[in-house]
Amino acid sequence: LKTLEKLHNDVVHIMMQNAVEDELSLPLVPENSRFAKLREILPPEFQWIQDTQELYDEGKRQHNCVFEYRQGIRADTLAIYHWNCDDRQYTIEFTKRGNNFEMSQMYRSYNRPADPKDVAIVKSYIQNVTS
């Protein structure tokens, strides 16, 4: 299964190399994003991925297929953040249910599971916060 996942990510990165050149000039995060308040509540060490190059770089750095989420970001249905916590680096997907933010996914590089204590930290930031 790990080999299949690695092959999937490798194929996505090859596709990304072709797509990224055409898309670098396209906006990624809508101007009045519904995730703007999330930026206000997360600490500064959480980096909001706001342009196509940053999203591409996140996928390369983390060895994941996050670049495939660009249409959801453009449609303002999700937001992607990078978080460096000690020696653990995460790609985090946030969505909204009603007026509440939710953490949909949180993975380390190569889609390794997040440390449960780090998951709890992220959830504590967004708990009971409405936009």
Side-chain angles (χ1 to χ4, degrees):
L1 187 58
K2 288 289 184 190
T3 301
L4 183 58
E5 188 174 321
K6 183 185 180 326
L7 289 172
H8 164 76
N9 288 339
D10 290 346
V11 168
V12 168
H13 286 290
I14 290 168
M15 291 170 36
M16 287 184 342
Q17 289 173 341
N18 295 330
V20 76
E21 290 181 18
D22 296 335
E23 293 191 34
L24 283 177
S25 63
L26 296 177
L28 186 63
V29 175
E31 189 173 321
N32 295 315
S33 174
R34 56 193 266 200
F35 294 94
K37 182 163 177 110
L38 186 59
R39 174 65 276 159
E40 296 172 16
I41 63 173
L42 291 173
E45 61 266 18
F46 284 77
Q47 300 167 338
W48 189 6
I49 307 296
Q50 294 189 333
D51 69 42
T52 306
Q53 183 68 54
E54 289 176 344
L55 188 66
Y56 176 77
D57 293 344
E58 179 71 3
K60 285 187 71 163
R61 175 180 49 242
Q62 292 290 91
H63 302 276
N64 62 33
C65 64
V66 72
F67 191 71
E68 293 299 306
Y69 289 72
R70 63 195 183 280
Q71 298 309 330
I73 298 168
R74 287 188 180 117
D76 209 30
T77 60
L78 62 98
I80 300 293
Y81 275 76
H82 177 84
W83 182 35
N84 187 9
C85 177
D86 297 324
D87 63 339
R88 298 173 306 281
Q89 294 191 41
Y90 293 104
T91 301
I92 307 170
E93 175 190 355
F94 291 98
T95 57
K96 286 188 76 175
R97 184 176 302 206
N99 289 327
N100 298 316
F101 295 110
E102 293 185 346
M103 183 186 61
S104 302
Q105 299 184 70
M106 180 173 170
Y107 289 106
R108 294 174 69 183
S109 61
Y110 296 98
N111 292 322
R112 290 178 294 157
D115 186 310
K117 70 177 183 187
D118 294 337
V119 171
I121 290 169
V122 174
K123 285 184 175 182
S124 74
Y125 289 128
I126 62 173
Q127 186 175 351
N128 301 321
V129 175
T130 59
S131 63

